[in-house]
Amino acid sequence: MKTATPPAHAAGTDTSAMTAPRYTGIATFMRTPLASSPGNVDIGLVGVPYDGGVTNRAGARHGPRELRNASSMTRTIHHVTRINPYALCRVADLGDVPLPHVYDHTAVYEDICSFYQALAQAGVRPLSAGGDHSITFPILAGLHAGSPRGTRPPGIIHIDAHTDTWGPFMGSKFHHGGPFHQATEAGVMDPRRTIQIGIRGAQNTPAGWDYSRAHGMRVMFIEEFDELGVQAVIAEIRRVVGEGPVYLSFDIDALDPAYAPGTGTPEVGGISTLQAQTLLRGLRGLDFIGGDLVEVAPPFDPSGNTALVGATLMYEILCLLAERCAAAP
């Protein structure tokens, strides 16, 4: 367990913001301290307000701000696992990735990659809020670039309605339907230790499904998920990823739009919120190096429920990261 005493601005020392009325103060992820640098931080909560890679409805650029706001509803101690992530690790909100070149897709990817490379070099495990799913490729590239030489690329637990392994779209390879295609081609993830869960929805071409399977990814369509049940799916995830580093990427459209309508590419017949929570809780002990929650598009859900669901799932992922971080040497 981490034993270093954090400075006054870091998580773990002052929980007054956690217990104050939740409508007060500056909105940060989970009401954690806002840190200007990754020093003295074990888990960094990061916003990536970019949706230049969407192929349908834009709006996920507003996701981090609304997820921060909705996350004020979270508390400290998990009611099932009794994990208190803030007692285990130094957790802080590292703000948003600066995007000075937001209209230049290639430059945006370089900016995101550089930001996460610095986090990896500082030993920070990131938990990110998108933004569209295209951000996951530069995050993985940055983490790989900032890791010690020879570090094994992570396996991926990818929960989504879509495989996101399509090639170039409308002349661009940087889009939210292709991050795991790009990450595979770049060698910054291990496709043989990757499982994609909740896949569904008709497509105009089977290219994405075919690419995933041809490169060794385990593709689980929603019908198989439903037939197996959550506990058997958890066992299959553990079998596929095995030992070694793992990254978790959760697209909010994995959920049925009855639970999360505020997303760019909704697909009916999805996972329920309770199934999603149960699934995540079954992943304790895996060697998580980071995770993300993407594709929350608040303009399509004036009720705010999608942001609340997303923030709650981020808390579940935070607990996984914190427990692993605390157990690290």
Side-chain angles (χ1 to χ4, degrees), residues 57 61 63 76 103 110 142 163 177 188 209 238 264-265 285:
R57 307 190 301 184
R61 69 184 67 181
T76 54
Y103 298 111
E110 293 171 354
T163 62
V188 297
W209 307 327
R238 290 182 172 277
T265 313

Side-chain angles (χ1 to χ4, degrees), residues 294-314:
V294 298
E295 297 282 355
V296 171
F300 296 106
D301 184 5
S303 75
N305 192 63
T306 304
L308 175 61
V309 170
T312 304
L313 295 178
M314 282 187 70

